[in-house]
Amino acid sequence: YLASSSSFEPLRLIASEVLPPGASGRRLRARFRRLMNPSGTENPEMAQDSTAARVFLKALRELLFEAAALDPVVLVVDDAHLADPLTLELLAGLAHEVAAGSGRGRLSLVAAFRSESAFRDAVRPLRDAFSRAVPSTSWIELHPLRRDEVSAWLALALPGDAAAREAIGAGAGLHGRPFAIAEAIQDAVMGSQKGPGSRSSAPERMPSLSEAERREGGAQRAARLPLR
């Protein structure tokens, strides 16, 4: 997923990848241009108007499915947790329709996203769509690492920093989550490069943690207690 200051730019990118080139896709591309610019200028308020957004996204989904009817499409989106709400709603709608098996089998969707606390609310529509127990969908969830796996990783990443290994291995509010552990390792490495007193694995520098987890981690760190 390519982050953008415009809610429409990711949709343009998706359409550019799905709509066929050449003469076969000319009609669909013209429809897409009219859909994006119904009055000749892009409407920046549409992303905040829920009714207009639903109408727009339904029309865009129909356009993408028509494109897939001409030539099968596999749409792959990585880091979907970074997507803006409009793009997430489009992806969730596509996933729901594919899962429903409503004659849409020529378009397949693969999405990878993080679902830790910090991203859980944002990706809930997409997670719900993919987690439906139907034959046309597959859900693969990476579970937290075991303590021995975390220890082995820390031994490789921080071989000369026993204090950092102990602090991170004790928990640090990470719950075995690989991304949060990676952030803690990076923070420890950067702190060691700055010299004594600056090595911390501070919760406020770990975007994988929710605000509540950061506050909990900061309080426990201040009290010099192991972070769970």
Side-chain angles (χ1 to χ4, degrees):
Y1 178 81
L2 179 63
S4 170
S5 59
S6 168
S7 297
F8 296 94
E9 192 57 36
L11 303 181
R12 292 184 186 279
L13 179 60
I14 289 173
S16 70
E17 294 294 329
V18 174
L19 300 183
S24 63
R26 186 176 296 124
R27 177 180 58 84
L28 295 177
R29 293 196 303 275
R31 281 175 54 193
F32 176 70
R33 286 193 295 271
R34 291 194 298 271
L35 180 64
M36 295 295 288
N37 303 282
S39 59
T41 57
E42 187 175 275
N43 180 7
E45 297 181 359
M46 191 274 290
Q48 283 75 46
D49 185 332
S50 59
T51 301
R54 283 196 298 271
V55 173
F56 168 79
L57 292 174
K58 184 177 185 299
L60 182 54
R61 289 198 305 271
E62 289 298 324
L63 196 62
L64 298 179
F65 280 120
E66 286 187 41
L70 297 175
D71 198 12
V73 169
V74 178
L75 178 60
V76 180
V77 182
D78 195 13
D79 289 335
H81 55 279
L82 300 177
D84 59 272
L86 199 62
T87 304
L88 276 172
E89 192 171 345
L90 171 69
L91 297 175
L94 290 174
H96 274 297
E97 293 203 41
V98 170
S102 53
R104 311 294 191 145
R106 292 173 67 86
L107 187 148
S108 299
L109 173 64
V110 179
F113 53 88
R114 294 167 60 175
S115 58
E116 300 103 308
S117 303
F119 310 108
R120 193 167 297 144
D121 289 341
V123 301
R124 180 170 285 112
L126 192 56
R127 183 186 177 98
D128 290 346
F130 271 101
S131 59
R132 295 179 63 182
V134 295
S136 56
T137 63
S138 296
W139 172 261
I140 301 174
E141 184 167 10
L142 302 181
H143 293 284
L145 299 176
R146 301 190 310 270
R147 183 171 292 275
D148 63 309
E149 293 171 331
V150 174
S151 297
W153 185 2
L154 294 175
L156 291 172
L158 302 168
D161 194 338
R165 292 199 307 272
E166 182 179 356
I168 300 172
L174 309 183
H175 307 292
R177 295 178 300 197
F179 286 105
I181 294 168
E183 290 164 356
I185 291 173
Q186 183 180 29
D187 189 59
V189 171
M190 292 177 63
S192 66
Q193 293 172 348
K194 295 177 182 178
S198 59
R199 296 162 23 194
S200 60
S201 296
E204 62 270 16
R205 291 197 293 274
M206 301 175 65
S208 289
L209 302 181
S210 67
E211 287 300 321
E213 288 170 329
R214 290 176 192 170
R215 288 194 298 270
E216 176 191 0
Q220 291 181 339
R221 180 168 165 265
R224 299 181 181 275
L225 294 175
L227 302 181
R228 295 188 302 275

